[in-house]
Amino acid sequence: MSIIAGTKFNVGLYSALKKAGYKGVLSDATSYDAAILKDPATARALEGVVAAPMFEPFESSAPEIAQLRQDVEKVSPGATLTQHLAIGYWSADIFLKMLEQTGRDLTREKFLATGNGSFLYENAGFGKIQYPKDHAEPNGCGALVKLEGGAYRVAKSMKCFDNVPLK
C-alpha cells in the first residue's frame, strides 16, 4: 500500500494498520528522514516501511554517494543527511556542470544557451536530465529504502524510467 501523506499522518496510520493485522508492504515518499531515527516511537511505528527517494540513497556504496558524504562532511562536519540536502547538492552539481559546459568566457547569454540548448547531465547518484526537455518534467528516477532495526537499508538502488505523459 502506497500512501501519499506526511510522516506525522503516516505514523498514526501505519501503527493502526499494523495493530489491525495488516501484513503487506507500506510505502511512501516521506519516511526517508533521519529525524525519524531519533524518535524511538516514530521509528517503531515506521519499522518495515519502504520509502522512495528520487536519488540514490545515502546508505548506498555508489562512488557518487561517497563523494556527496565527503563533500558535506568537509563543509559541515557531522551534518545530518536529508532529502532536502540531497536536492540542494544535486542542484548545485547540475549548476556547476552547466557552468563547466558553458566555458571560461561566461556570459549570461552563453549560460542560458547551455541550459536551453542540448545540456545533458548524468550521474549515478542523481540520474539523468536533459535540457530543454526536462525544464518541465521530473527526471523519472527513484530508489527504495527500507527501515529495518532502526536503520535504513537500500532495498533497490536508483533506476530511471521514461516519463509517462499525463495528457
Side-chain angles (χ1 to χ4, degrees), residues 49-108:
V49 168
V50 175
M54 296 177 69
F55 53 86
E56 183 67 9
F58 301 122
E59 296 75 16
S60 170
S61 60
E64 293 79 4
I65 300 304
Q67 185 65 55
L68 177 150
R69 288 192 302 263
Q70 181 182 4
D71 290 346
V72 170
E73 186 63 24
K74 192 181 305 179
V75 297
S76 185
T80 301
L81 301 177
T82 65
Q83 290 195 62
H84 300 93
L85 180 144
I87 291 165
Y89 181 88
W90 296 121
S91 296
D93 199 49
I94 292 166
F95 177 75
L96 292 173
K97 296 295 184 222
M98 286 179 67
L99 285 174
E100 184 181 289
Q101 188 172 324
T102 300
R104 294 184 68 66
D105 186 23
L106 178 65
T107 65
R108 178 182 187 275

Side-chain angles (χ1 to χ4, degrees), residues 118-136:
S118 58
F119 178 75
L120 174 65
Y121 176 89
E122 289 186 80
N123 180 301
F126 172 80
K128 175 183 174 179
I129 57 167
Q130 188 171 2
Y131 295 149
K133 179 180 80 64
D134 291 331
H135 282 314

Side-chain angles (χ1 to χ4, degrees), residues 140 160-164:
C160 297
F161 302 91
D162 291 335
N163 284 320
V164 177

